[in-house]
Amino acid sequence: MCGIVAYVGERTAYPILIKGLQRLEYRGYDSAGIALFNDSTNIYKCKGNVKDLQKTTKNKDISGSIGMGHTRWATHGEPSDANAHPHQSMNGKFYIVHNGIIENYAHLKKELKNRGYLFKSETDTEVLANLIENIYLEQQVSAELAVRLALTKVVGAYGLVVACIEEPGKLIAARKGSPLVIGVGENEYFLASDAMPIIEYTDRVLYLNDEDVAIVSSGGMELKDLYNDAKTPEIKTANLSIDSINKGDFKHYMHKEIHEQATSITDTFRGRISMDQSKIFLGGILDVIPKLLEAKRIMIIACGTSWHAALVGEYLFEEYTRMPVEVEYASEFRYRNPIINEDDLVIAISQSGETADTLAAVRMVKNYGATILGICNVAGSSLSRETDAGVYTHAGIEIGVASTKAFTSQITALAMMAFFMGYKRRTLLEDKYKTLIRELTRIPEMITEILKNEERIKEIAAVYKDVSNALYLGRGILFPVALEGALKLKEVSYIHAEGYPAAEMKHGPIALIDGTLPVFVLAINNTLYKKMISNIQEVKARKGKVIAIATKGNEEIYKIADHVIEIPACHEALSPLLTVVPFQLLSYHIAVMRGCNVDQPRNLAKSVTVE
């Protein structure tokens, strides 16, 4: 959950590293550092963000055409100057930046201490640096072999870049369970945790696979595995543009990405719906359609916001395919002894395609022979390579740590899959199938209409910006939206919030309601509307403050709610795509009014690539 950037070539490395770290700060921002290699080696690191690092390097020697940088999300050791990367081995032979967790670091550290090694930090990464150096010195091997031998002793995950001062002019990179990409230029190479820092310089990229080792210098690149078997690099074109990683006219990425949802949803179904809106084409799953139609059960595994999208998917698949569906937290599922059959269909969802728990769950499912589909946003990601088939969301890069457009694009993909499978299984009649497709294509314009009312939402945010707690209520397919609304508020404003099925309020949460508690309710015109009105009345009877998301034109709701946010009328199956948008905007504006850093909430990172 840290950001790595490195460069080797003929340019001055410092500006490339700093700009790269700025673009990777969503991966971690509690400390940052760089190492620059020239005739001498200069290392600068500090607690804080990249701006603090820039202050640290002011008026310092920043020369050098080879370097590595790191922005950290702490795992082993609190944020501090000493724990910041890069780390140096005790005798100064090796420098390293690392993303991941070395699970057996304590055992390795004990062994190294017995051999006389001293440590300056609390990190597992410094242990790895000293392990590499110890092998290098004791066995008198090359730096590359020392790295490979050290990694065979490691238990855990890593994406890392290593430099040896006795073998100048090159960098050694390796990956297992933590993403690392290499950008290929003319006599130069760019290394990073993802393609964002690279795209300004080249769109030719190599995605390292698990246990890949790459040795790069201005003279070329060599690729092999941990056991010295040569591999042929698969250079791909990165589907990313500079414009997509800029904020444009928005102050924050989160705000920009909320406003991009009309486009990201369109891009998710673009090319997958026929011109006459009568059919869905999902090319990414064509090869496994027979298995989908024969499947007896669906399991969906995900974490965080993706898990909430999965819950929406449960409603959709059960309704339109009439198949039993289970939704699992990947972080819990991977440690159970689940019952999985060969005729099960498992859908794994991850925005980045690199979520450690989700990937571990996928690998476990493979052992049972079930068919695995992936839904992710990043081409070339681990999830896309490890599943049997899948659907890219094409939402464009999401930089804000709190997911917004990822959620709606994932639901869009799940909806298309559910409608497609229902039609193929003949549990969804053709007329209804076509109606659902047409309704889906109308969603982007409805989101645009909701966004026009942002000032109204901002006014409501101002009323509740200072509360300590909040409750979110939904029913049926909108219950997951209540969960997602509560999560967004927690993530970016640090207000405690909980989402509940509205009918469960009487089984405990109603005790919290008083004259100060805001209760956000989803009360659109659907099959459960009357039930929700009864729940609102229960809140009002106890003097709770009700903020209702309601269908445009509903006059009744104004008589009982304290505040109303209107959304256009839409098909109930697609209502999560609309109702979540006001919750996203409320969370954003409340957080900004509270002075919170919405793009980099405390203690959070975008891609959870460690357990």
Side-chain angles (χ1 to χ4, degrees):
M1 292 168 64
C2 305
I4 290 172
V5 62
Y7 174 76
V8 56
E10 299 173 354
R11 311 187 200 208
T12 301
Y14 177 82
I16 296 170
L17 299 181
I18 289 295
K19 186 178 289 187
L21 291 179
Q22 288 170 336
R23 289 178 177 165
L24 288 173
E25 268 196 296
Y26 70 96
R27 300 183 72 96
Y29 35 86
D30 57 41
S31 60
I34 57 171
L36 298 162
F37 306 100
N38 203 353
D39 294 332
S40 61
T41 299
N42 293 303
I43 183 169
Y44 308 107
K45 56 182 185 174
C46 63
K47 177 182 176 180
N49 57 29
V50 178
K51 287 183 180 178
D52 296 312
L53 177 62
Q54 288 177 285
K55 293 175 185 176
T56 300
T57 58
K58 191 174 182 180
N59 300 321
K60 302 285 180 64
D61 181 2
I62 55 172
S63 61
S65 58
I66 300 177
M68 61 176 67
H70 188 273
T71 180
R72 182 172 184 249
W73 186 90
T75 53
H76 295 78
E78 67 181 10
S80 68
D81 292 357
N83 289 333
H85 297 218
H87 284 287
Q88 181 182 9
S89 59
M90 187 183 76
N91 296 300
K93 305 294 185 184
F94 287 86
Y95 290 80
I96 184 172
V97 289
H98 165 233
N99 179 19
I101 290 180
I102 307 303
E103 295 176 10
N104 62 333
Y105 85 101
H107 170 72
L108 296 172
K109 188 172 186 177
K110 183 179 179 181
E111 283 191 351
L112 289 165
K113 282 184 173 180
N114 291 338
R115 295 177 184 178
Y117 273 85
L118 303 175
F119 294 83
K120 298 177 181 179
S121 77
E122 304 167 88
T123 67
D124 54 343
T125 302
E126 188 186 7
V127 174
L128 184 53
N130 282 330
L131 177 63
I132 294 169
E133 183 185 81
N134 179 249
I135 293 171
Y136 177 77
L137 294 175
E138 284 194 358
Q139 300 188 28
Q140 295 291 295
V141 296
S142 68
E144 173 224 318
L145 181 53
V147 170
R148 289 194 287 108
L149 290 173
L151 293 179
T152 63
K153 298 176 181 293
V154 161
V155 177
Y158 54 79
L160 55 85
V161 178
V162 178
C164 176
I165 61 168
E166 293 186 346
E167 298 183 19
K170 68 181 179 184
L171 297 173
I172 302 164
R175 172 242 161 98
K176 182 179 180 182
S178 187
L180 205 62
V181 59
I182 300 176
V184 181
E186 293 295 326
N187 300 317
E188 61 182 355
Y189 294 89
F190 308 82
L191 301 90
S193 297
D194 62 44
M196 274 209 299
I198 291 171
I199 198 64
E200 181 175 346
Y201 310 101
T202 179
D203 63 354
R204 299 176 65 228
V205 297
L206 167 67
Y207 295 96
L208 294 187
N209 293 310
D210 278 358
E211 298 193 341
D212 276 358
V213 178
I215 304 95
V216 295
S217 67
S218 59
M221 172 173 61
E222 185 181 3
L223 184 66
K224 57 180 65 177
D225 65 17
L226 277 186
Y227 309 100
N228 205 35
D229 290 328
K231 301 184 72 173
T232 302
E234 251 188 89
I235 309 299
K236 298 184 177 181
T237 301
N239 185 22
L240 191 63
S241 68
I242 289 294
D243 289 342
S244 68
I245 61 178
N246 292 328
K247 293 178 188 172
D249 295 329
F250 294 92
K251 186 176 180 181
H252 301 101
Y253 282 112
M254 182 181 179
H255 198 202
K256 173 177 179 270
E257 287 156 8
I258 291 171
H259 278 260
E260 286 177 338
Q261 288 177 108
T263 299
S264 59
I265 290 172
T266 300
D267 289 343
T268 299
F269 65 65
R270 188 193 307 277
R272 292 167 169 163
I273 293 176
S274 62
M275 293 296 290
D276 62 357
Q277 299 179 355
S278 65
K279 291 181 181 178
I280 291 172
F281 303 96
L282 296 175
I285 64 172
L286 281 178
D287 292 342
V288 295
I289 287 176
K291 290 185 177 181
L292 303 190
L293 301 183
E294 294 167 6
K296 299 295 189 294
R297 179 180 62 157
I298 297 173
M299 301 180 73
I300 312 178
I301 53 178
C303 298
T305 286
S306 296
W307 186 76
H308 295 159
L311 290 177
V312 175
E314 179 179 16
Y315 285 90
L316 293 170
F317 280 107
E318 286 188 346
E319 177 69 22
Y320 297 113
T321 71
R322 305 309 300 150
M323 295 173 67
V325 182
E326 297 177 20
V327 176
E328 300 275 2
Y329 279 116
S331 55
E332 291 294 319
F333 178 80
R334 63 180 292 196
Y335 292 111
R336 294 214 324 267
N337 184 20
I339 300 170
I340 305 171
N341 302 307
E342 289 187 2
D343 55 7
D344 285 339
L345 168 62
V346 178
I347 302 173
I349 309 175
S350 167
Q351 189 280 140
S352 65
E354 302 292 349
T355 307
D357 287 319
T358 304
L359 289 172
V362 165
R363 289 162 189 155
M364 183 176 76
V365 168
K366 281 184 178 180
N367 296 327
Y368 293 89
T371 301
I372 310 171
L373 301 184
I375 295 178
C376 73
N377 190 36
V378 181
S381 64
S382 296
L383 184 64
S384 67
R385 296 198 300 270
E386 297 203 23
T387 49
D388 297 312
V391 176
Y392 285 120
T393 56
H394 299 306
I397 193 161
E398 187 179 68
I399 297 174
V401 168
S403 282
T404 51
K405 65 179 181 177
F407 179 71
T408 49
S409 62
Q410 287 167 357
I411 291 174
T412 302
L414 286 163
M416 287 192 294
M417 290 172 69
F419 302 158
F420 175 81
M421 285 180 61
Y423 180 64
K424 289 292 185 181
R425 290 171 61 91
R426 300 183 180 178
T427 52
L428 176 59
L429 297 178
E430 186 169 6
D431 286 349
K432 194 167 186 179
Y433 175 57
K434 291 180 178 179
T435 297
L436 287 165
I437 294 171
R438 287 194 298 271
E439 289 297 310
L440 178 58
T441 62
R442 294 181 56 235
I443 291 295
E445 66 186 62
M446 295 181 186
I447 287 179
T448 300
E449 187 176 336
I450 293 170
L451 292 170
K452 290 177 182 177
N453 293 322
E454 184 169 0
E455 282 305 310
R456 169 64 178 153
I457 295 171
K458 190 174 180 180
E459 291 170 5
I460 297 170
V463 176
Y464 297 103
K465 66 182 179 64
D466 295 319
V467 301
S468 300
N469 301 282
L471 190 62
Y472 287 71
L473 301 177
R475 300 191 74 134
I477 199 169
L478 294 182
F479 162 52
V481 178
L483 294 175
E484 177 63 12
L487 177 61
K488 285 287 120 6
L489 191 67
K490 284 183 280 196
E491 284 179 314
V492 298
S493 74
Y494 317 139
I495 294 171
H496 174 253
E498 296 295 336
Y500 277 92
E504 287 295 302
M505 182 177 57
K506 293 187 287 295
H507 297 277
I510 200 167
L512 298 171
I513 295 174
D514 58 19
T516 63
L517 181 74
V519 182
F520 297 89
V521 300
L522 293 157
I524 66 168
N525 295 349
N526 60 16
T527 53
L528 295 172
Y529 171 72
K530 291 298 182 183
K531 297 289 186 183
M532 181 57 79
I533 293 299
S534 296
N535 296 134
I536 293 174
Q537 296 285 13
E538 291 165 352
V539 173
K540 293 306 297 177
R542 289 155 182 84
K543 302 188 184 304
K545 303 295 184 183
V546 172
I547 304 93
I549 310 298
T551 305
K552 186 175 182 180
N554 181 351
E555 299 297 331
E556 178 186 17
I557 199 74
Y558 281 90
K559 298 174 183 177
I560 55 175
D562 295 274
H563 308 277
V564 177
I565 300 171
E566 293 185 341
I567 66 166
C570 71
H571 195 286
E572 184 171 352
L574 302 171
S575 58
L577 294 169
L578 300 187
T579 51
V580 75
V581 177
F583 283 168
Q584 294 170 345
L585 287 170
L586 282 166
S587 298
Y588 169 76
H589 286 294
I590 287 172
V592 170
M593 292 172 188
R594 289 168 66 91
C596 301
N597 186 341
V598 295
D599 284 338
Q600 297 173 1
R602 69 187 182 204
N603 303 330
L604 297 178
K606 182 66 176 174
S607 300
V608 185
T609 56
V610 297
E611 284 190 59

